[in-house]
Amino acid sequence: MFDLQGREWQMLEGAGVTVQLLLATLPFLVAFGLIGALAKLSAYRVFRGLGEAYTTIIRGIPELVIILLIYFGGTIAINALGYFLVEGGGVDWGLKGLGVFLYGEDARIDISPFWAGVMALSLVHGAFATEVFRAAFLAVPHGEVEAAQACGMSTWQIFHRIRLPQVWRFALPGIGNLFQVLIKDTALISVVGLEEIMRKAQVGAGAEKLPFTFYLAAMAMFLVLTTVALVVFSYLERRAARGVRRA
Amino acid sequence: MYDRFVYILDKYPHWIWDGFLLTMELLVVSVIAGTLVAIPIAIARVSPNPLIRAVPFGYIYVLRGTPLLAQLFLIYYGLGQFEAVRESFLWPVLRSAYWCSILAFVLNTSAYVAEIMRGGIQNVPRGEIEAARACGMSEFTLYRRIILPRMWQIIWPAYTNDVIFTLKATALASTVTMMELTGVARKIVARTAAPYEAFITAAIVYLLVVWVLTFGFKGVERWLRRSERRREASKPHAKPA
């Protein structure tokens, strides 16, 4: 029941792709989260509205639908843009050079499942990260911000020296939680063909007619990944809170 | 784009409606069954006996640490690997996509809900439990009258969060041939090559369901907290909230 028939290396390759996916998603996720949080905390109602819309809509739609939307729809959008740049609808906009440079002569580009997955996952988890970062910003003691203002620091200096370092400490537990969910959501990208753990397991299961074995192995690999993430984030949380007096 | 929306809504409304009904069916069955399964697991999880605690701990750890998709595939595709399963009387059930999906969703949601319930049970005010024990209540009565009702009050927001997660999880049933909302949307995309319109339609339906559910949840929350409201109203100088 536990024999992978020599396909262990395949499964490890899939794990490698999963880790790459996670590492690629992280920066975009943090970016979307910070932008969303700053929007929701903004003094301008427009930005607050956009932030609310972002989190409400994304958190109410299944991740699978968003992944499919970006993968199938994204190809159409990018190719429509490419077609416009190269062909221009018959009118010479002077952009043909740019279009050919970006897309090649026949104005087609394929979105790889990898980048569609990265974009979809960062969009979805960025919405959750927005809530985490928003709470973290609000948790920074206002007294410190006031003191910094009294010292004459500029807005950027306050953000950079007072807010951001503390946001990191407050946001870590939430982001750690989010990262665990992210690890499991990478399995969804297999649906659009990315060769990560689930897809490799599917291939192996089909070839060897041992679906239970391979999917159990896939589950074990995810369990390892989530455990490692748990350990790493626990360490980071303890490190970030060093020197802070606990009740 | 607008006329493609109209085309889809004009040609396939029965599909979309059936998909919506199937999604709701999967949601309701999974949530109710999952919650019922979670209660004994949560109670075992807070047992003073470490041996009794270990089993639900492992259950919750595995089910929360692995993707639902993997669990679903394991049940739907994986169980058929064993001859013992194929020859058993349960096979007609275990080979159907519907029951495999329900099983996977119930197991998964029971783990999350059990963990939420554990947090709730552990946060029931000690004074109430002590008073109940002083009155001579049996363990069972203690749970029935004090711990479980109080637990629901405490965990309600987190629980409703999990119900929304389960709604989004039902979309995964489309990967094992179930024609719920997402499955229907994919089928429409295959027919019409209009991914934006089809998926956006599905997304709008999901958002409407979430909206209605959230309304319902807020109402239940107010009912759960009804005792808090009455106290405020009867105070002689009721402070504004």
Side-chain angles (χ1 to χ4, degrees):
Chain A
M1 184 170 89
F2 293 113
D3 180 12
L4 285 173
Q5 309 282 0
R7 289 180 181 262
E8 295 86 356
W9 189 242
Q10 257 186 5
M11 295 292 288
L12 286 173
E13 273 180 358
V17 173
T18 298
V19 172
Q20 281 176 349
L21 193 61
L22 289 169
L23 293 176
T25 308
L26 216 44
F28 290 104
L29 185 159
V30 170
F32 281 130
L34 281 175
I35 294 176
L38 292 174
K40 284 183 100 165
L41 293 169
S42 158
Y44 299 108
R45 214 184 305 170
V46 180
F47 293 132
R48 280 208 304 271
L50 285 173
E52 275 294 331
Y54 173 51
T55 50
T56 313
I57 293 179
I58 298 284
R59 292 199 300 174
I61 305 178
E63 291 86 5
L64 186 59
V65 173
I66 296 181
I67 290 172
L68 292 171
L69 192 55
I70 292 185
Y71 181 65
F72 288 117
T75 317
I76 293 186
I78 298 236
N79 282 321
L81 181 62
Y83 190 73
F84 174 74
L85 285 180
V86 174
E87 303 290 326
V91 179
D92 183 7
W93 296 88
L95 294 167
K96 180 151 183 186
L98 178 68
V100 170
F101 171 71
L102 287 175
Y103 289 86
E105 269 300 331
D106 47 349
R108 271 200 63 82
I109 224 181
D110 288 313
I111 291 197
S112 74
F114 184 83
W115 288 106
V118 169
M119 276 303 120
L121 286 177
S122 9
L123 210 58
V124 170
H125 289 271
F128 288 104
T130 294
E131 288 305 307
V132 173
F133 284 130
R134 193 171 72 94
F137 269 112
L138 290 174
V140 175
H142 191 61
E144 299 188 15
V145 173
E146 280 183 9
Q149 283 170 336
C151 289
M153 288 196 201
S154 73
T155 312
W156 165 252
Q157 278 177 322
I158 297 180
F159 183 75
H160 177 65
R161 296 181 184 182
I162 309 288
R163 290 206 150 109
L164 217 40
Q166 304 220 51
V167 161
W168 168 247
R169 177 165 67 90
F170 291 123
L172 258 183
I175 296 294
N177 218 357
L178 210 151
F179 195 71
Q180 300 242 332
V181 180
L182 177 63
I183 291 177
K184 293 183 292 166
D185 277 350
T186 59
L188 295 177
I189 317 285
S190 68
V191 172
V192 296
L194 183 64
E195 297 285 331
E196 45 71 68
I197 297 180
M198 279 305 290
R199 186 88 189 101
K200 293 283 195 192
Q202 247 180 330
V203 166
E208 304 287 341
K209 306 280 187 281
L210 292 173
F212 192 84
T213 310
F214 278 90
Y215 291 127
L216 198 64
M219 279 175 65
M221 293 186 123
F222 278 109
L223 212 50
V224 167
L225 283 174
T226 48
T227 308
V228 168
L230 191 64
V231 168
V232 168
F233 271 98
S234 292
Y235 169 71
L236 287 176
E237 277 174 49
R238 270 178 292 128
R239 227 184 98 89
R242 68 191 186 287
V244 175
R245 223 179 288 168
R246 284 281 176 84
Chain B
M1 188 152 152
Y2 175 68
D3 26 284
R4 283 195 280 195
F5 261 120
V6 173
Y7 177 76
I8 290 180
L9 291 172
D10 185 59
K11 187 158 183 199
Y12 303 110
H14 49 292
W15 283 5
I16 299 177
W17 178 249
D18 289 339
F20 164 72
L21 284 181
L22 184 55
T23 295
M24 295 313 293
E25 193 180 327
L26 288 171
L27 176 68
V28 170
V29 174
S30 305
V31 165
I32 294 183
T35 306
L36 290 174
V37 171
I39 294 180
I41 295 177
I43 296 179
R45 180 82 175 73
V46 297
S47 156
N49 181 338
L51 286 176
I52 300 184
R53 268 208 311 267
V55 172
F57 180 79
Y59 177 85
I60 294 174
Y61 190 67
V62 170
L63 284 172
R64 291 205 327 166
T66 54
L68 177 56
L69 192 68
Q71 295 162 18
L72 182 59
F73 280 10
L74 188 74
I75 293 175
Y76 182 62
Y77 294 116
L79 287 181
Q81 178 180 319
F82 302 112
E83 188 137 343
V85 172
R86 288 201 301 271
E87 318 236 312
S88 82
F89 70 101
L90 285 173
W91 184 231
V93 168
L94 288 176
R95 68 183 297 206
S96 86
Y98 179 77
W99 289 111
C100 285
S101 304
I102 297 273
L103 184 60
F105 294 148
V106 167
L107 289 175
N108 193 57
T109 199
S110 70
Y112 279 97
V113 171
E115 191 60 16
I116 295 174
M117 285 183 172
R118 174 191 68 82
I121 292 178
Q122 289 180 327
N123 278 314
V124 172
R126 291 291 157 84
E128 297 185 21
I129 300 181
E130 276 180 15
R133 289 211 167 109
C135 290
M137 280 195 196
S138 72
E139 200 72 5
F140 176 74
T141 312
L142 172 65
Y143 265 97
R144 184 173 69 89
R145 291 186 125 205
I146 307 291
I147 296 188
L148 290 182
R150 205 70 179 81
M151 172 198 79
W152 277 114
Q153 273 187 346
I154 297 175
I155 67 174
W156 187 249
Y159 178 73
T160 60
N161 230 0
D162 186 73
V163 174
I164 303 293
F165 269 129
T166 308
L167 170 68
K168 303 204 289 178
T170 59
L172 289 180
S174 68
T175 60
V176 291
T177 77
M178 292 287 283
M179 280 295 135
E180 40 69 62
L181 202 49
T182 307
V184 164
R186 290 171 84 175
K187 197 158 126 179
I188 294 180
V189 172
R191 292 281 177 103
T192 64
Y196 278 124
E197 291 77 7
F199 288 129
I200 290 180
T201 308
I204 292 178
V205 177
Y206 279 114
L207 285 173
L208 284 174
V209 173
V210 170
W211 193 49
V212 171
L213 281 177
T214 310
F215 253 129
F217 292 151
K218 291 254 165 66
V220 174
E221 183 166 353
R222 274 186 303 140
W223 178 76
L224 283 172
R225 292 172 184 265
R226 60 196 183 282
S227 56
E228 292 172 27
R229 271 188 293 146
R230 278 192 219 128
R231 239 181 19 158
E232 281 297 325
S234 69
K235 274 195 192 147
H237 327 281
K239 288 210 178 104

